[in-house]
Amino acid sequence: MSDTPTLPTTGREWRLLSRPVGWPKPEDFALAEAEVPAPGAGRVLVRNKYLSVDPYMRGRMSAAKSYVAPYELGKVMQGGAVGEVVASEAEGIAVGDHVLHFFGWREYAVVAAENAVKVDPDAAPLSAYLGVLGMTGLTAYAGLLRTAAFKEGDRVFVSGAAGAVGSQVGQIAKLKGASRVVGSAGSDEKVKLLVEEYGFDAAFNYRNGPVSEQLRAAAPDGIDVYFDNVGGDHLEAAIGSLDRGGRIAVCGMISVYNNTEPAPGPRNLARLIQTRGRIEGFLVNDHHDLQPQFVREVGAWVRSGELKYRETVVEGIENNLEAFLGVLRGDNTGKMIVKL
């Protein structure tokens, strides 16, 4: 047990004021000053150092029933965060320890010990535990290796390939022996990054022409695996290029998150009959049993430099909302992080 004489009494936090229709607007949110309570028994007070903003958060802003509860109106929002313990009433967690938890969008958080995971700042930069060694990394690992049942020699297509998840999917596929890895991204700069830094065999800018045509040119022999972060025309194009026995892992569909009307489905689903193809959605929360294996294998690749990652860092909690909107626009290369 430990205490500190200079505990904060207030801190800033982001609250959802109204449920966005279409693109979120600044008036849907408020940055408010809130009281910071002392931690009770079994809890710790954390000064957040890095906050995560992710596409799935857009879904939580809606009242629609989903796999996770919506954000409550007038209440502070949640998200991944890593920070330093400044007060502790929990066995096994001391002041000065660093922990990963799910109470982001705020400067200070009181966290139950069972919801705080100690992380080692000497083993990796703290921000990495929100990305390459965190939820987005496990998402890439589980989605490719388990849901898509990747095997050596597969030809792989990844959409949103310059993002935190997609960039890791493509690199893991190459490290595991893919015969060809193709990625799509939203700018020529990102396309260059995918090929020159992340080792993709080919990549294209989806803004430069029909996705189906560009995919056929980049993967003329078809694909065995598609890792979907985008949906829409990317999913339809992947079905069109899917080879016999192909697998599609649906991680996200960022292209439709702000739609106010239901998006039309792929027009070529009947092709799955011909190819005996499979489409399966997944949630990272169903694959936490892979965590030890993931940390061991991916951690080694990160340390050796075999797996590269990038972060887009935005400074200041006052810019948390703009960082989130930037993710929806595709402004980020790699993981979007807010540094407090």
Side-chain angles (χ1 to χ4, degrees):
M1 305 297 178
S2 191
D3 206 358
T4 173
T6 55
L7 293 181
T9 57
T10 62
R12 291 175 292 174
E13 63 183 30
W14 280 95
R15 298 172 183 170
L16 183 66
L17 299 185
S18 56
R19 302 206 180 278
V21 177
W23 274 89
K25 303 180 294 295
E27 53 265 35
D28 294 324
F29 309 85
L31 181 60
E33 196 82 15
E35 182 182 349
V36 176
R43 295 176 178 270
V44 296
L45 175 61
V46 182
R47 178 170 65 85
N48 288 332
K49 290 190 170 184
Y50 295 94
L51 307 178
S52 177
V53 286
D54 303 280
Y56 79 87
M57 293 172 174
R58 177 61 184 87
R60 296 197 68 184
M61 294 171 188
S62 166
K65 188 175 181 180
S66 184
Y67 60 88
V68 63
Y71 293 134
E72 293 185 58
L73 291 180
K75 301 289 184 65
V76 60
M77 295 185 291
Q78 296 177 339
V82 64
E84 182 180 357
V85 175
V86 295
S88 176
E89 294 296 335
E91 293 286 352
I93 303 179
V95 169
D97 284 345
H98 292 84
V99 296
L100 174 68
H101 60 87
F102 205 68
F103 297 93
W105 288 83
R106 69 199 85 186
E107 290 180 304
Y108 292 91
V110 174
V111 183
E114 61 266 25
N115 296 325
V117 178
K118 285 205 289 188
V119 296
D120 184 357
D122 294 325
L126 285 175
S127 57
Y129 294 103
L130 294 175
V132 65
L133 294 178
M135 184 180 72
T136 52
L138 181 58
T139 299
Y141 190 86
L144 176 68
L145 301 182
R146 179 175 280 173
T147 306
F150 171 86
K151 58 184 184 295
E152 187 176 352
D154 277 347
R155 295 156 296 173
V156 178
F157 172 44
V158 187
S159 59
V165 174
S167 59
Q168 210 155 332
V169 171
Q171 291 183 82
I172 293 172
K174 290 294 291 184
L175 288 163
K176 290 283 191 179
S179 61
R180 188 166 183 79
V181 175
V182 174
S184 73
S187 73
D188 293 340
E189 292 78 14
K190 289 180 179 180
V191 166
K192 185 178 179 182
L193 173 72
L194 292 176
V195 175
E196 294 184 0
E197 185 168 330
Y198 292 153
F200 283 59
D201 296 291
F204 60 86
N205 182 345
Y206 65 82
R207 303 181 197 274
N208 288 348
V211 175
S212 57
E213 294 178 11
Q214 294 196 79
L215 178 58
R216 279 196 296 271
D221 297 324
I223 60 173
D224 302 295
V225 168
Y226 170 48
F227 193 104
D228 190 16
N229 290 305
V230 174
D233 55 355
H234 281 73
L235 178 56
E236 187 170 293
I239 293 171
S241 286
L242 204 64
D243 208 353
R244 181 168 175 167
R247 292 88 64 202
I248 295 174
V250 180
C251 174
M253 294 193 174
I254 198 170
S255 68
V256 304
Y257 285 172
N258 292 303
N259 287 4
T260 56
E261 298 294 330
R267 296 167 295 181
N268 56 350
L269 281 174
R271 194 167 185 278
L272 294 175
I273 303 169
Q274 173 190 344
T275 62
R276 291 77 151 175
R278 171 170 64 82
I279 301 178
E280 183 177 344
F282 75 98
L283 294 174
V284 67
N285 290 344
D286 297 331
H287 302 282
H288 284 305
D289 62 297
L290 290 176
Q291 181 79 20
Q293 174 184 326
F294 157 72
V295 171
R296 184 170 59 251
E297 190 164 24
V298 175
W301 287 332
V302 169
R303 286 190 296 274
S304 69
E306 293 173 276
L307 193 149
K308 300 174 175 60
Y309 69 97
R310 285 202 179 186
E311 296 172 341
T312 300
V313 179
V314 172
E315 299 265 355
I317 193 169
E318 64 275 9
N319 295 313
N320 214 88
L321 176 59
E322 182 55 31
F324 167 70
L325 295 175
V327 170
L328 298 183
R329 291 190 299 261
D331 293 351
N332 57 303
T333 299
K335 183 75 183 76
M336 182 71 90
I337 299 285
V338 178
K339 181 180 180 182
L340 304 190

